[in-house]
Amino acid sequence: MEIMKMKLIATVRCYKSGPKRRFQVRLALIILIFILRIVTIGLYASSSDDNYDGGILAPICAFSLIFLFTTFCLDLYRYCVWWHYTPYGDTRCHCRSKQHERYILYHMVGDNRNPRLLGDRPCREQSCHKRKLDHIVVFHSADYQPQDCWRDIPKPPTELHTTTKRLFCLNFQNKDNQPHYVGFHTTTSEAAVSIAHSEFQPSTGGWLGAGAYFAQSVDGTIRKARTGGGAYIIAEIPMGKVYEVHRNLIHKKHTLFNRQVYDFVHRSKWQHDFDTCYMIHEHDDRDEFVIKDPERQIVKWVIVVEQPFDYKVARYQLDTEFDSTKCGCI
């Protein structure tokens, strides 16, 4: 019995980390059962055997479809509560920015996963090349480098000189034919809610000039944040034309400090010809960058409000909903 229990745990994807996948699997099973019930009802109703009570069994089987529909409604409700979650501090209307993809519960992130479960195992590669924000939040929030450094990513020419006409394609998302990058931004929970309902507001100044600042990981952005934190935002960003600068050139106490480069970066002069300013740190995990126009450059984002600032998770018992079940999952 204990061996069977361990096998079941190893083969079931935990609902805490994959509410969307769980809903899809259960929906497929419900549809399959619904089709079988309809076939059964048809067979009962078309039975011509006088000794067979098909006329009675057909309505009974049809009545059981009500329970199947109720199960679907409950699963849909649970899916909406988890995957379309609204944190405690967001009491505004549901009209949010078109770039806002969703809030993700802190309980689904990082340390709350069980790495021994099949669906919860982290990526084996040091640099994960998956670019789905949900995947990065759940599986890579604690990683210092969930992606390659910008300088290590192969980039095509900024402008393609070709006489071939490019057909309009919905999948063509790269601005100036440049790859998208994932940025991490830490702010207060109140500011995160405000961003979800409006847009990113660029800062008026900073080490790299004006704009919206991002780091390469959650740990990196917490270390650089001026606020006390409370929430972090993971965004997909077409970098556009990038000006790369090494930190040593703009650090006044470093022997390689260059006043001309410092003024060009710090006074936002790079914004005349570039979309993004990327600072290369001597330690890869501390790279950061700033984008000139968040409204135009950010494709989408997801937001995680941290535990001390979101009481709704515990109030809804979403952090313990499946802890008392036999296998800990479904």
Side-chain angles (χ1 to χ4, degrees):
M1 185 67 182
E2 191 68 20
I3 296 176
M4 292 179 62
K5 180 178 178 181
M6 292 177 65
K7 288 183 178 180
L8 184 60
I9 294 176
T11 55
V12 177
R13 182 175 177 86
C14 186
Y15 179 56
K16 293 176 184 175
S17 66
K20 186 175 183 180
R21 179 66 57 84
R22 178 184 185 273
F23 175 73
Q24 291 172 342
V25 171
R26 289 181 62 89
L27 179 61
L29 291 174
I30 289 175
I31 292 175
L32 177 61
I33 295 173
F34 176 79
I35 294 174
L36 294 176
R37 293 277 179 90
I38 294 297
V39 172
T40 304
I41 293 171
L43 292 175
Y44 282 149
S46 61
S47 176
S48 58
D49 191 350
D50 296 335
N51 298 324
Y52 196 67
D53 297 329
I56 299 176
L57 294 176
I60 294 176
C61 192
F63 180 77
S64 68
L65 293 177
I66 297 176
F67 302 102
L68 200 63
F69 178 74
T70 303
T71 302
F72 165 75
C73 291
L74 290 174
D75 280 344
L76 180 62
Y77 171 74
R78 284 181 173 177
Y79 165 71
C80 291
V81 169
W82 279 84
W83 207 234
H84 298 279
Y85 176 76
T86 301
Y88 174 79
D90 191 348
T91 56
R92 306 184 187 183
C93 66
H94 292 283
C95 298
R96 300 190 177 101
S97 170
K98 61 181 180 180
Q99 297 160 309
H100 177 78
E101 195 168 63
R102 65 176 53 88
Y103 292 102
I104 295 183
L105 289 77
Y106 65 80
H107 191 64
M108 293 172 60
V109 174
D111 295 337
N112 295 296
R113 294 184 293 104
N114 184 353
R116 292 176 296 178
L117 290 176
L118 180 62
D120 277 358
R121 293 174 185 171
C123 296
R124 296 180 180 179
E125 301 178 11
Q126 181 180 3
S127 297
C128 177
H129 297 285
K130 294 180 180 179
R131 284 296 172 267
K132 289 193 66 175
L133 298 183
D134 306 324
H135 174 85
I136 293 176
V137 172
V138 173
F139 291 96
H140 294 289
S141 291
D143 294 359
Y144 91 92
Q145 188 174 321
Q147 59 188 339
D148 296 323
C149 294
W150 175 255
R151 62 183 179 275
D152 298 328
I153 296 178
K155 294 172 278 293
T158 304
E159 296 181 0
L160 295 179
H161 300 284
T162 177
T163 57
T164 304
K165 293 184 178 180
R166 179 184 296 151
L167 297 177
F168 178 76
C169 177
L170 293 176
N171 293 326
F172 187 82
Q173 298 178 334
N174 293 357
K175 179 183 180 297
D176 294 334
N177 201 38
Q178 296 297 305
H180 290 195
Y181 206 59
V182 178
F184 297 78
H185 179 88
T186 293
T187 185
T188 62
S189 57
E190 294 82 3
V193 171
S194 178
I195 290 173
H197 288 270
S198 56
E199 301 291 343
F200 256 92
Q201 297 299 323
S203 63
T204 56
W207 201 9
L208 303 179
Y213 281 74
F214 293 90
Q216 206 183 18
S217 67
V218 172
D219 291 340
T221 187
I222 291 175
R223 183 167 49 242
K224 301 174 189 298
R226 297 179 179 179
T227 63
Y232 52 90
I233 303 170
I234 297 90
E236 179 184 342
I237 304 168
M239 300 286 274
K241 193 175 181 181
V242 180
Y243 176 77
E244 299 183 35
V245 59
H246 202 284
R247 177 180 179 273
N248 296 339
L249 296 177
I250 58 176
H251 193 284
K252 291 184 177 180
K253 295 183 179 180
H254 200 276
T255 55
L256 297 178
F257 174 72
N258 187 308
R259 170 61 66 176
Q260 185 176 0
V261 175
Y262 173 82
D263 289 339
F264 182 78
V265 172
H266 186 68
R267 300 182 185 278
S268 305
K269 295 180 181 179
W270 57 268
Q271 295 189 1
H272 296 295
D273 300 310
F274 297 91
D275 301 300
T276 304
C277 181
Y278 187 96
M279 187 194 73
I280 302 172
H281 199 280
E282 54 188 357
H283 301 292
D284 290 345
D285 60 326
R286 302 184 68 176
D287 286 5
E288 64 178 300
F289 61 95
V290 57
I291 59 176
K292 176 174 64 176
D293 189 353
E295 183 177 356
R296 180 175 58 88
Q297 288 182 253
I298 298 178
V299 176
K300 57 185 176 182
W301 65 65
V302 296
I303 299 176
V304 178
V305 178
E306 295 178 326
Q307 183 174 359
F309 304 92
D310 189 7
Y311 312 105
K312 191 174 178 181
V313 176
R315 180 178 297 177
Y316 278 36
Q317 297 183 348
L318 297 176
D319 54 345
T320 59
E321 181 177 357
F322 288 88
D323 286 352
S324 60
T325 56
K326 188 172 182 179
C327 68
C329 292
I330 299 176

mmCIF file of all heavy atoms in Angstrom, residues 151-169:
data_model
loop_
_atom_site.group_PDB
_atom_site.id
_atom_site.type_symbol
_atom_site.label_atom_id
_atom_site.label_comp_id
_atom_site.label_asym_id
_atom_site.label_seq_id
_atom_site.Cartn_x
_atom_site.Cartn_y
_atom_site.Cartn_z
ATOM 1 N N ARG A 151 24.605 39.820 -23.210
ATOM 2 C CA ARG A 151 25.755 39.809 -24.118
ATOM 3 C C ARG A 151 26.031 38.417 -24.682
ATOM 4 O O ARG A 151 26.722 38.283 -25.698
ATOM 5 C CB ARG A 151 26.997 40.330 -23.396
ATOM 6 C CG ARG A 151 27.430 39.491 -22.208
ATOM 7 C CD ARG A 151 28.632 40.113 -21.512
ATOM 8 N NE ARG A 151 29.072 39.344 -20.353
ATOM 9 C CZ ARG A 151 28.558 39.460 -19.144
ATOM 10 N NH1 ARG A 151 27.578 40.328 -18.935
ATOM 11 N NH2 ARG A 151 29.013 38.731 -18.135
ATOM 12 N N ASP A 152 25.494 37.363 -24.025
ATOM 13 C CA ASP A 152 25.736 35.991 -24.475
ATOM 14 C C ASP A 152 24.643 35.474 -25.401
ATOM 15 O O ASP A 152 24.744 34.356 -25.912
ATOM 16 C CB ASP A 152 25.851 35.056 -23.265
ATOM 17 C CG ASP A 152 27.026 35.424 -22.368
ATOM 18 O OD1 ASP A 152 28.039 35.912 -22.908
ATOM 19 O OD2 ASP A 152 26.920 35.230 -21.141
ATOM 20 N N ILE A 153 23.598 36.258 -25.598
ATOM 21 C CA ILE A 153 22.496 35.831 -26.465
ATOM 22 C C ILE A 153 22.817 36.211 -27.903
ATOM 23 O O ILE A 153 23.121 37.377 -28.187
ATOM 24 C CB ILE A 153 21.172 36.485 -26.031
ATOM 25 C CG1 ILE A 153 20.794 36.020 -24.624
ATOM 26 C CG2 ILE A 153 20.053 36.163 -27.018
ATOM 27 C CD1 ILE A 153 19.531 36.654 -24.096
ATOM 28 N N PRO A 154 22.782 35.265 -28.841
ATOM 29 C CA PRO A 154 23.033 35.609 -30.249
ATOM 30 C C PRO A 154 21.950 36.537 -30.771
ATOM 31 O O PRO A 154 20.758 36.282 -30.598
ATOM 32 C CB PRO A 154 23.011 34.248 -30.961
ATOM 33 C CG PRO A 154 22.234 33.350 -30.047
ATOM 34 C CD PRO A 154 22.501 33.836 -28.657
ATOM 35 N N LYS A 155 22.377 37.611 -31.403
ATOM 36 C CA LYS A 155 21.430 38.624 -31.873
ATOM 37 C C LYS A 155 21.647 38.887 -33.361
ATOM 38 O O LYS A 155 22.782 39.103 -33.796
ATOM 39 C CB LYS A 155 21.614 39.922 -31.073
ATOM 40 C CG LYS A 155 21.232 39.772 -29.603
ATOM 41 C CD LYS A 155 21.597 40.979 -28.802
ATOM 42 C CE LYS A 155 23.059 40.973 -28.398
ATOM 43 N NZ LYS A 155 23.392 39.901 -27.453
ATOM 44 N N PRO A 156 20.569 38.881 -34.137
ATOM 45 C CA PRO A 156 20.677 39.209 -35.560
ATOM 46 C C PRO A 156 20.920 40.700 -35.737
ATOM 47 O O PRO A 156 20.805 41.474 -34.776
ATOM 48 C CB PRO A 156 19.311 38.790 -36.120
ATOM 49 C CG PRO A 156 18.390 38.899 -34.953
ATOM 50 C CD PRO A 156 19.209 38.543 -33.740
ATOM 51 N N PRO A 157 21.237 41.146 -36.938
ATOM 52 C CA PRO A 157 21.430 42.582 -37.171
ATOM 53 C C PRO A 157 20.184 43.371 -36.815
ATOM 54 O O PRO A 157 19.059 42.889 -36.945
ATOM 55 C CB PRO A 157 21.729 42.665 -38.676
ATOM 56 C CG PRO A 157 22.205 41.303 -39.043
ATOM 57 C CD PRO A 157 21.489 40.347 -38.135
ATOM 58 N N THR A 158 20.396 44.595 -36.337
ATOM 59 C CA THR A 158 19.266 45.434 -35.943
ATOM 60 C C THR A 158 18.369 45.738 -37.127
ATOM 61 O O THR A 158 17.155 45.760 -37.029
ATOM 62 C CB THR A 158 19.776 46.749 -35.333
ATOM 63 O OG1 THR A 158 20.633 46.432 -34.241
ATOM 64 C CG2 THR A 158 18.621 47.594 -34.840
ATOM 65 N N GLU A 159 18.945 45.968 -38.287
ATOM 66 C CA GLU A 159 18.176 46.261 -39.485
ATOM 67 C C GLU A 159 18.496 45.210 -40.534
ATOM 68 O O GLU A 159 19.662 44.908 -40.791
ATOM 69 C CB GLU A 159 18.505 47.656 -40.018
ATOM 70 C CG GLU A 159 18.108 48.779 -39.061
ATOM 71 C CD GLU A 159 18.430 50.136 -39.645
ATOM 72 O OE1 GLU A 159 18.957 50.171 -40.779
ATOM 73 O OE2 GLU A 159 18.156 51.146 -38.983
ATOM 74 N N LEU A 160 17.473 44.665 -41.138
ATOM 75 C CA LEU A 160 17.655 43.664 -42.178
ATOM 76 C C LEU A 160 17.552 44.342 -43.538
ATOM 77 O O LEU A 160 16.504 44.879 -43.890
ATOM 78 C CB LEU A 160 16.586 42.569 -42.052
ATOM 79 C CG LEU A 160 16.646 41.717 -40.781
ATOM 80 C CD1 LEU A 160 15.509 40.707 -40.808
ATOM 81 C CD2 LEU A 160 17.981 41.017 -40.655
ATOM 82 N N HIS A 161 18.644 44.340 -44.281
ATOM 83 C CA HIS A 161 18.644 44.945 -45.598
ATOM 84 C C HIS A 161 18.257 43.874 -46.612
ATOM 85 O O HIS A 161 19.066 43.050 -47.031
ATOM 86 C CB HIS A 161 20.034 45.508 -45.921
ATOM 87 C CG HIS A 161 20.469 46.564 -44.950
ATOM 88 N ND1 HIS A 161 19.971 47.842 -44.981
ATOM 89 C CD2 HIS A 161 21.332 46.505 -43.897
ATOM 90 C CE1 HIS A 161 20.530 48.559 -44.006
ATOM 91 N NE2 HIS A 161 21.360 47.760 -43.336
ATOM 92 N N THR A 162 17.020 43.854 -46.974
ATOM 93 C CA THR A 162 16.527 42.850 -47.899
ATOM 94 C C THR A 162 15.433 43.443 -48.760
ATOM 95 O O THR A 162 14.723 44.361 -48.346
ATOM 96 C CB THR A 162 15.976 41.625 -47.133
ATOM 97 O OG1 THR A 162 15.446 40.710 -48.076
ATOM 98 C CG2 THR A 162 14.881 42.015 -46.155
ATOM 99 N N THR A 163 15.318 42.927 -49.953
ATOM 100 C CA THR A 163 14.279 43.389 -50.866
ATOM 101 C C THR A 163 13.044 42.513 -50.790
ATOM 102 O O THR A 163 12.036 42.793 -51.415
ATOM 103 C CB THR A 163 14.814 43.371 -52.312
ATOM 104 O OG1 THR A 163 15.262 42.035 -52.614
ATOM 105 C CG2 THR A 163 15.970 44.349 -52.467
ATOM 106 N N THR A 164 13.128 41.435 -50.005
ATOM 107 C CA THR A 164 12.000 40.530 -49.864
ATOM 108 C C THR A 164 10.970 41.132 -48.923
ATOM 109 O O THR A 164 11.301 41.554 -47.817
ATOM 110 C CB THR A 164 12.458 39.167 -49.306
ATOM 111 O OG1 THR A 164 13.477 38.648 -50.153
ATOM 112 C CG2 THR A 164 11.288 38.201 -49.245
ATOM 113 N N LYS A 165 9.725 41.161 -49.354
ATOM 114 C CA LYS A 165 8.669 41.697 -48.514
ATOM 115 C C LYS A 165 8.309 40.691 -47.433
ATOM 116 O O LYS A 165 8.166 39.507 -47.693
ATOM 117 C CB LYS A 165 7.428 42.020 -49.358
ATOM 118 C CG LYS A 165 7.638 43.164 -50.328
ATOM 119 C CD LYS A 165 6.342 43.483 -51.060
ATOM 120 C CE LYS A 165 6.531 44.663 -52.012
ATOM 121 N NZ LYS A 165 5.278 44.979 -52.729
ATOM 122 N N ARG A 166 8.157 41.184 -46.208
ATOM 123 C CA ARG A 166 7.792 40.314 -45.101
ATOM 124 C C ARG A 166 6.275 40.326 -44.941
ATOM 125 O O ARG A 166 5.663 41.382 -44.784
ATOM 126 C CB ARG A 166 8.449 40.787 -43.802
ATOM 127 C CG ARG A 166 8.083 39.938 -42.595
ATOM 128 C CD ARG A 166 8.684 40.512 -41.343
ATOM 129 N NE ARG A 166 10.126 40.468 -41.396
ATOM 130 C CZ ARG A 166 10.912 41.332 -40.775
ATOM 131 N NH1 ARG A 166 10.386 42.322 -40.101
ATOM 132 N NH2 ARG A 166 12.215 41.223 -40.855
ATOM 133 N N LEU A 167 5.673 39.156 -45.002
ATOM 134 C CA LEU A 167 4.238 39.057 -44.818
ATOM 135 C C LEU A 167 3.886 39.319 -43.364
ATOM 136 O O LEU A 167 4.642 38.998 -42.454
ATOM 137 C CB LEU A 167 3.750 37.662 -45.228
ATOM 138 C CG LEU A 167 3.947 37.305 -46.711
ATOM 139 C CD1 LEU A 167 3.486 35.871 -46.949
ATOM 140 C CD2 LEU A 167 3.199 38.267 -47.613
ATOM 141 N N PHE A 168 2.726 39.911 -43.143
ATOM 142 C CA PHE A 168 2.287 40.176 -41.777
ATOM 143 C C PHE A 168 2.071 38.859 -41.045
ATOM 144 O O PHE A 168 1.418 37.957 -41.539
ATOM 145 C CB PHE A 168 0.976 40.966 -41.794
ATOM 146 C CG PHE A 168 0.431 41.237 -40.428
ATOM 147 C CD1 PHE A 168 0.989 42.219 -39.628
ATOM 148 C CD2 PHE A 168 -0.621 40.488 -39.935
ATOM 149 C CE1 PHE A 168 0.490 42.461 -38.370
ATOM 150 C CE2 PHE A 168 -1.127 40.733 -38.677
ATOM 151 C CZ PHE A 168 -0.569 41.717 -37.896
ATOM 152 N N CYS A 169 2.641 38.754 -39.866
ATOM 153 C CA CYS A 169 2.563 37.510 -39.099
ATOM 154 C C CYS A 169 2.317 37.839 -37.638
ATOM 155 O O CYS A 169 3.037 38.638 -37.050
ATOM 156 C CB CYS A 169 3.859 36.708 -39.242
ATOM 157 S SG CYS A 169 3.879 35.190 -38.269
#
